[in-house]
Amino acid sequence: MPNDLYSIFLLITLVLLAAVLFIYSIQRFEIAVLLILLAPLLAAIFIPNNASADADSEVGLSSYVKNGIPLMMAIVSIIKYFQYWYMHRGRIPLYLGILSIIVIFALISTTYSIDPDITFIRSIKFFILFLFLIGFYYWIIKEGQTHTFFNTLYIYAIIFIAINLIVIIAMPGKAWWWVAPDRLQGALSHPNDLGGECALIYPVLLWKYAKLKEGESKIFIISCFIIITAFLLLTGSRTSILLSGASVGLWFLFSGKKVQILIWFLALSLALAVLITFTPANLQRGDQDLTTLTGRQDFWSGAITLILERPYTGYGFNVEGKIWEDPRFYDPKLTLWSGSSKTSLHNGYISIAVGLGIVGLVIWVFILFLPIFKIKKKYLNDDFNVALTIMVMLFLSNFVEASIGANTFIFWLSWVIVGIYTFDKLPEKEERKEQNAYAY
């Protein structure tokens, strides 16, 4: 009975909290943005640090948080979309319209998928993301500037750092990966996930640093840089370390800081030379070199073979490693070839080709790169640069990890920001006043 009362009390508390956040998110949409960014982090806290890691099909507190928050915020976004009806009269921008083609394609692929349950779940997640992006787009247009969004990203970065520090101190059994106890995963469920988030936080902190006014203290932001660098090195995620270096370099490049680029390049080259010469234990992968792809090229080759056997439709959206059930490739001794939809192909572009075929891949790549086709030098400013840095960094990461998907909220939000700069025009202050005169 006490356990039942506790469960009922917890459920009522969560429902009330969700109701308050829902209402407040309608009034302040940046809260919805913050919550949808935090959803994967909050969900990962409840994932056990053992072999029974979270899966899309499993029901539990982690699943409720991971899927419930985006669904709730998507409903908030639809409400905002109708509140902004006077602005658009039912229209959506071209690049979001083209993105809907892939969403529909993904949903249709459920009918022939080799794992229809997983395809349906992940397609619905993609659809929920799409709904959120529509409201987010018109919120940015209504705001007339992007500073609020990037300040929300900065708040997310601070919360991310704080939660991981708490987990490291209070929950060390969760913080260190069960497979390799010398690799830090923090509140997340894999060291690579923590490393990837650190790489994304670098340009956000650089943006905030650039926004500091003369006389304002820089100590806090410098401390954040130091902490995420420590996180990054402790994860032992080689891809994330390289991407972090690339993200800082891209920020300097897009900001036109030539001296900083040169200094950063020299420092990064020196750091890589030291790591290659004195490779820490958490960066080693058995007896393989630091620069090895740890067998990725073998299953990329196998995946391409299977793609060519079903080039037009693919095997179903995001079926991932399920294709290794093919007896020509299946090897029960190797987890990467285990024939499970939970297993990543470690290449987001190949993953889309496997799921939706070559035609789907062509549409997907076109959609991803569409916002940068019309980039001009006049767009380069701090807000645009950080969005572009995040986009390009994840373009690169997607070659060795499945870095762009339905749960990569920060990518798609940045993608919309870049699209607004290159395809649309943010209204001037007078135009926003006129719009507000017709607002609800």
Side-chain angles (χ1 to χ4, degrees):
M1 186 65 178
N3 289 335
D4 293 338
L5 288 175
Y6 173 77
S7 299
I8 293 172
F9 175 77
L10 180 61
L11 179 61
I12 292 174
T13 302
L14 290 175
V15 169
L16 290 175
L17 178 62
V20 171
L21 291 174
F22 182 84
I23 294 171
Y24 195 50
S25 296
I26 295 175
Q27 298 172 348
R28 299 287 300 272
F29 192 72
E30 59 266 34
I31 299 299
V33 174
L34 180 61
L35 287 172
I36 207 166
L37 289 170
L38 285 172
L41 173 64
L42 298 176
I45 294 174
F46 302 102
I47 298 175
N49 188 22
N50 53 44
S52 61
D54 183 39
D56 290 294
S57 58
E58 294 175 352
V59 177
L61 188 54
S62 173
S63 178
Y64 291 139
V65 172
K66 185 177 182 179
N67 300 310
I69 291 178
L71 176 60
M72 187 167 64
M73 294 306 105
I75 296 172
V76 169
S77 183
I78 292 302
I79 293 173
K80 298 301 289 186
Y81 176 76
F82 283 105
Q83 285 182 344
Y84 298 145
W85 188 267
Y86 66 94
M87 294 172 56
H88 53 72
R89 303 299 178 186
R91 298 186 301 273
I92 62 174
L94 174 64
Y95 45 98
L96 281 175
I98 299 175
L99 179 62
S100 69
I101 296 174
I102 281 289
V103 176
I104 294 170
F105 197 172
L107 287 166
I108 291 174
S109 73
T110 303
T111 60
Y112 60 80
S113 173
I114 58 175
D115 195 336
D117 291 341
I118 289 293
T119 294
F120 179 72
I121 290 170
R122 293 177 177 175
S123 298
I124 290 298
K125 287 182 178 181
F126 201 8
F127 178 64
I128 289 171
L129 168 70
F130 174 75
L131 293 179
F132 185 81
L133 293 180
I134 293 175
F136 174 76
Y137 169 85
Y138 282 106
W139 174 67
I140 293 293
I141 295 295
K142 176 70 162 48
E143 285 283 310
Q145 46 86 25
T146 54
H147 177 84
T148 303
F149 167 65
F150 289 109
N151 205 48
T152 302
L153 279 188
Y154 174 63
I155 294 171
Y156 163 75
I158 294 173
I159 294 174
F160 178 87
I161 291 171
I163 289 177
N164 279 284
L165 283 174
I166 291 170
V167 168
I168 292 170
I169 296 169
M171 304 169 60
K174 165 66 177 175
W176 300 93
W177 193 29
W178 68 276
V179 177
D182 58 347
R183 296 185 64 186
L184 180 69
Q185 65 180 16
L188 298 174
S189 54
H190 196 285
N192 290 351
D193 295 338
L194 177 60
E197 288 298 312
C198 289
L200 292 169
I201 287 174
Y202 274 105
V204 176
L205 293 180
L206 287 167
W207 171 85
K208 188 63 177 180
Y209 191 89
K211 290 294 183 181
L212 288 177
K213 297 178 181 177
E214 187 175 352
E216 290 184 329
S217 176
K218 302 176 181 179
I219 295 176
F220 182 75
I221 297 180
I222 293 173
S223 299
C224 290
F225 275 116
I226 294 172
I227 292 170
I228 64 166
T229 300
F231 285 172
L232 182 67
L233 295 175
L234 290 172
T235 65
S237 174
R238 298 172 299 179
T239 299
S240 300
I241 291 173
L242 290 173
L243 285 174
S244 296
S247 70
V248 175
L250 287 168
W251 167 266
F252 289 147
L253 175 64
F254 298 143
S255 301
K257 301 182 183 299
K258 298 179 181 179
V259 175
Q260 287 89 334
I261 291 175
L262 178 60
I263 295 173
W264 183 251
F265 177 76
L266 293 174
L268 186 62
S269 300
L270 178 61
L272 289 175
V274 171
L275 287 176
I276 292 174
T277 306
F278 307 100
T279 307
N282 67 348
L283 288 174
Q284 296 175 9
R285 302 295 184 267
D287 59 352
Q288 297 176 322
D289 295 331
L290 181 63
T291 56
T292 182
L293 289 171
T294 57
R296 282 175 169 83
Q297 60 272 35
D298 295 329
F299 54 87
W300 291 343
S301 176
I304 292 172
T305 298
L306 290 171
I307 291 169
L308 295 176
E309 292 177 4
R310 197 185 285 190
Y312 301 113
T313 61
Y315 298 83
F317 180 68
N318 269 190
V319 291
E320 301 292 336
K322 187 74 172 179
I323 59 174
W324 303 133
E325 284 189 340
D326 189 301
R328 289 172 294 171
F329 301 99
Y330 181 68
D331 186 343
K333 297 178 183 179
L334 300 174
T335 55
L336 290 175
W337 303 78
S338 61
S340 168
S341 296
K342 307 171 193 175
T343 306
S344 172
L345 296 180
H346 291 279
N347 185 305
Y349 304 109
I350 290 179
S351 177
I352 290 295
V354 164
L356 301 178
I358 295 174
V359 174
L361 174 63
V362 171
I363 299 174
W364 175 257
V365 172
F366 176 73
I367 289 170
L368 292 186
F369 288 87
L370 182 61
I372 66 175
F373 286 161
K374 294 178 62 178
I375 284 182
K376 297 179 181 178
K377 191 173 182 179
K378 66 178 182 180
Y379 300 137
L380 298 178
N381 60 49
D382 290 339
D383 289 6
F384 180 81
N385 293 345
V386 69
L388 186 61
T389 296
I390 290 171
M391 275 186 62
V392 175
M393 179 175 57
L394 289 174
F395 286 156
L396 298 173
S397 176
N398 209 42
F399 281 103
V400 291
E401 299 288 349
S403 300
I404 302 175
N407 287 326
T408 320
F409 302 119
I410 192 171
F411 170 82
W412 291 108
L413 297 175
S414 300
W415 180 82
V416 169
I417 294 293
V418 173
I420 287 174
Y421 271 96
T422 55
F423 283 93
D424 303 294
K425 179 177 178 291
L426 290 171
E428 301 293 337
K429 186 174 182 180
E430 289 71 20
E431 294 177 284
R432 295 202 305 276
K433 287 182 179 178
E434 185 178 348
Q435 290 174 355
N436 292 337
Y438 296 95
Y440 294 139

